[in-house]
Amino acid sequence: MFVRKFFLFGLIAVMFNFSMAQASDYDNFKQLNDLGTRQMNSQQHNEAIATFEKALKLNLMNTHKGVLYFNIAQCYDALNNYDAALENYKKSIECMPLISGAHLMLGLFYEDHKKYDDALKCYKKVLELAPDEVYGYLAISGCYSKIDTFESWSQVKEITNRWIEKHPKSYAEIYWQRGMANYFMGHAGDALKDLKMAQKLQAQGKILRTTDKEQFIKKINFWNYWIFTNLKSLQTEEEHKASLKRLKISEVKPEHFLDFIMDFVEHNQSSKR
């Protein structure tokens, strides 16, 4: 998820507020944190944990400790040690209760493990702490979309509406999520309007993604194509559900859209389980 990288940098940025820390302790902390980060990035997770735990023995501000616990949690998560990762994510929040990024990262951890109710609680805290931060809205609406029920798509629409009312024509991702909510609720006409706006905004550079930008643009293009070509048959929820069953790969002509047919098929299959 592209939200993760943004908040990772934002969370680590709190380290540089060290005015109340002893200079020598901060220097040692920075050296150890830098070393642990290099070890973590090199997949040396056990070594990184030992380095971060060594740094925790220094006389540090809570924000520094919070970053260290966060890094330890990331390492345990990579080692598939769920309990230890969760414990350290929670310790990170105890040290930085007002840092929205800490709550968001715990939410992403829960979401990765399909604990959507717990993730949603974290994301709601993000919105409480940072009501004008777009990433909170994207995270909570994205989580509701994974639950994939009519009620959860209604939540996606309500949340994205709240952002769009305050910040119209802001980011492609917000209109993309509302467009998908409209589509899976059976409102194909509204979905098409949102996806066309998403296309327009990404063409203007109003897009937040970096690592998977091209894939995201292709996905917008495919869904625009699919909804437009089937708009007349999607006037009611019943007709909408029937359209999911009619999808055939051969119906989509442009070759560069074919990568996203499987996206549609997987959704259709999961809805039947």
Short mmCIF file of all heavy atoms in Angstrom, two decimals, residues 19 26 58 129 135 141 167 204 267:
data_model
loop_
_atom_site.label_atom_id
_atom_site.label_comp_id
_atom_site.label_asym_id
_atom_site.label_seq_id
_atom_site.Cartn_x
_atom_site.Cartn_y
_atom_site.Cartn_z
N SER A 19 15.37 18.33 20.92
CA SER A 19 15.88 19.45 21.70
C SER A 19 15.99 19.13 23.18
O SER A 19 16.81 19.71 23.89
CB SER A 19 14.96 20.66 21.51
OG SER A 19 13.64 20.35 21.90
N TYR A 26 21.59 11.38 22.05
CA TYR A 26 21.00 11.47 20.71
C TYR A 26 21.98 10.99 19.65
O TYR A 26 21.60 10.28 18.73
CB TYR A 26 20.56 12.89 20.40
CG TYR A 26 20.08 13.01 18.97
CD1 TYR A 26 18.84 12.50 18.60
CD2 TYR A 26 20.91 13.53 17.97
CE1 TYR A 26 18.41 12.53 17.29
CE2 TYR A 26 20.48 13.56 16.66
CZ TYR A 26 19.24 13.07 16.32
OH TYR A 26 18.83 13.09 15.02
N LEU A 58 19.33 3.75 26.06
CA LEU A 58 19.82 5.12 26.21
C LEU A 58 18.75 5.99 26.86
O LEU A 58 17.58 5.63 26.92
CB LEU A 58 20.20 5.69 24.84
CG LEU A 58 21.30 4.94 24.07
CD1 LEU A 58 21.37 5.49 22.63
CD2 LEU A 58 22.64 5.08 24.77
N LEU A 129 -7.15 12.34 15.00
CA LEU A 129 -5.93 13.12 15.26
C LEU A 129 -5.56 14.03 14.10
O LEU A 129 -4.97 15.09 14.30
CB LEU A 129 -4.76 12.17 15.55
CG LEU A 129 -4.85 11.36 16.84
CD1 LEU A 129 -3.75 10.30 16.88
CD2 LEU A 129 -4.73 12.29 18.05
N TYR A 135 -4.45 10.78 3.83
CA TYR A 135 -4.08 9.37 3.93
C TYR A 135 -4.95 8.61 4.92
O TYR A 135 -5.15 7.41 4.78
CB TYR A 135 -2.59 9.25 4.30
CG TYR A 135 -1.70 9.70 3.18
CD1 TYR A 135 -1.26 11.01 3.09
CD2 TYR A 135 -1.33 8.81 2.18
CE1 TYR A 135 -0.47 11.43 2.04
CE2 TYR A 135 -0.54 9.21 1.12
CZ TYR A 135 -0.10 10.52 1.06
OH TYR A 135 0.67 10.93 0.01
N SER A 141 -11.12 4.03 3.91
CA SER A 141 -11.99 3.62 2.80
C SER A 141 -11.43 2.39 2.09
O SER A 141 -12.18 1.52 1.65
CB SER A 141 -12.17 4.78 1.80
OG SER A 141 -10.94 5.22 1.27
N HIS A 167 -12.49 19.06 0.07
CA HIS A 167 -11.35 19.23 -0.85
C HIS A 167 -11.73 18.72 -2.24
O HIS A 167 -11.20 17.70 -2.69
CB HIS A 167 -10.13 18.51 -0.34
CG HIS A 167 -9.77 18.83 1.08
ND1 HIS A 167 -9.08 19.97 1.43
CD2 HIS A 167 -10.03 18.17 2.24
CE1 HIS A 167 -8.91 20.00 2.75
NE2 HIS A 167 -9.48 18.92 3.26
N GLN A 204 -3.39 15.69 -14.55
CA GLN A 204 -2.92 16.98 -14.05
C GLN A 204 -1.82 16.83 -13.00
O GLN A 204 -1.34 17.82 -12.45
CB GLN A 204 -4.10 17.75 -13.44
CG GLN A 204 -5.18 18.14 -14.44
CD GLN A 204 -6.40 18.76 -13.77
OE1 GLN A 204 -6.53 18.77 -12.55
NE2 GLN A 204 -7.31 19.28 -14.59
N HIS A 267 -12.56 -10.64 -7.89
CA HIS A 267 -13.63 -10.04 -7.09
C HIS A 267 -14.92 -10.83 -7.25
O HIS A 267 -15.62 -11.12 -6.28
CB HIS A 267 -13.87 -8.59 -7.50
CG HIS A 267 -15.03 -7.96 -6.78
ND1 HIS A 267 -14.86 -7.33 -5.57
CD2 HIS A 267 -16.34 -7.92 -7.06
CE1 HIS A 267 -16.04 -6.91 -5.15
NE2 HIS A 267 -16.95 -7.25 -6.04
#
